[in-house]
Amino acid sequence: MARKPFADRLVIVGDAICTRLYKDGKGSSCMTSKSAVHTALLYRVEKEDFREHYLPVCKTLNRDNLFERSLFFANDLISVIPSISRLQLYYNIVGTGRFPEKYICSDIFWDMFTGSRFYKDIFIRVFNLWLAVHALGVIVASFFIKMSFSMSGKNRKV
C-alpha cells in the first residue's frame, strides 16, 4: 500500500494505492475510487476525513492480499505433492456431484483464479468440515490403492 495515499484535497486511487495480487486491477480501482467519492461527497476532502473513511477500504484490500498469498501458496504446494494433486483433480472432475453444496471445489478455484470474490471469503470456504473429512478419506484410500498396485507388481514374473 502507498505510504501516503491521501492529503488535503488529494487522494490516490486504484493500482497506485493498493491492488489485489491476481487479476483484479479494475476491481480495486472501482473499490478505492468509490470509497474516495463517498468520502468526498458525504464528508469533506480533508486529510482526516480520508484517513477515517477511505483508509479502511485500502486496508481491507491489503489484508485480503494476505489471504490471497496463502491460498496461492497452498495451491502451489498441492501441485507438487502427487497424492494431493490427484485429490484436487478428483474433486474438480469426478467428485463434484457428491458434495452437499454441488461444485464447491470448482467454485473455490474459479473464485481464486478470477478474483471474483474477496480472498478472505474463499479462504473461509476452503475450511469446510465436510470437505476436509472427505478429502482425508480420499487421501487414505489413494494411499492404499497405490500400495496394492505396487504390491501386485512385485509378485508378477516378467
Side-chain angles (χ1 to χ4, degrees), residues 78-152:
I78 286 169
S79 65
V80 297
I81 301 172
S83 60
I84 298 177
S85 187
R86 283 191 300 273
L87 173 69
Q88 180 183 13
L89 184 64
Y90 170 80
Y91 277 142
N92 284 321
I93 295 174
V94 179
T96 53
R98 298 181 183 171
F99 290 109
E101 301 143 352
K102 198 172 182 184
Y103 305 114
I104 188 170
C105 288
S106 297
D107 287 346
I108 287 171
F109 286 111
W110 176 263
D111 292 340
M112 268 180 65
F113 293 117
T114 61
S116 60
R117 295 187 186 213
F118 281 110
Y119 287 96
K120 179 182 178 184
D121 298 337
I122 300 169
F123 189 84
I124 291 169
R125 283 189 357 220
V126 166
F127 292 102
N128 179 330
L129 179 62
W130 191 93
L131 181 65
V133 168
H134 193 261
L136 183 62
V138 171
I139 288 173
V140 169
S142 72
F143 175 73
F144 284 117
I145 289 170
K146 186 177 179 183
M147 278 185 57
S148 68
F149 280 129
S150 65
M151 291 177 125
S152 65

Side-chain angles (χ1 to χ4, degrees), residues 13 20 48 64 68 73 94 101:
V13 296
R20 293 169 71 194
E48 294 79 28
D64 200 46
E68 185 176 10
F73 174 77
V94 179
E101 301 143 352

Side-chain angles (χ1 to χ4, degrees), residues 7-22:
D8 288 335
R9 299 176 170 251
L10 173 74
V11 65
I12 299 171
V13 296
D15 290 348
I17 173 69
C18 59
T19 186
R20 293 169 71 194
L21 299 173
Y22 194 79

Side-chain angles (χ1 to χ4, degrees), residues 4-87:
K4 294 188 178 189
F6 50 81
D8 288 335
R9 299 176 170 251
L10 173 74
V11 65
I12 299 171
V13 296
D15 290 348
I17 173 69
C18 59
T19 186
R20 293 169 71 194
L21 299 173
Y22 194 79
K23 286 188 173 180
D24 199 37
K26 292 178 187 174
S28 61
S29 296
C30 182
M31 284 185 260
T32 55
S33 59
K34 180 180 176 183
S35 177
V37 168
H38 179 265
T39 302
L41 292 177
L42 297 180
Y43 303 98
R44 296 175 300 177
V45 289
E46 304 296 322
K47 187 176 184 178
E48 294 79 28
D49 298 306
F50 286 124
R51 179 178 292 117
E52 185 178 340
H53 303 285
Y54 173 69
L55 189 59
V57 171
C58 299
K59 286 184 176 182
T60 299
L61 285 173
N62 241 15
R63 213 171 308 121
D64 200 46
N65 282 342
L66 297 174
F67 289 103
E68 185 176 10
R69 282 187 187 107
S70 61
L71 284 170
F72 279 101
F73 174 77
N75 184 60
D76 292 343
L77 189 64
I78 286 169
S79 65
V80 297
I81 301 172
S83 60
I84 298 177
S85 187
R86 283 191 300 273
L87 173 69

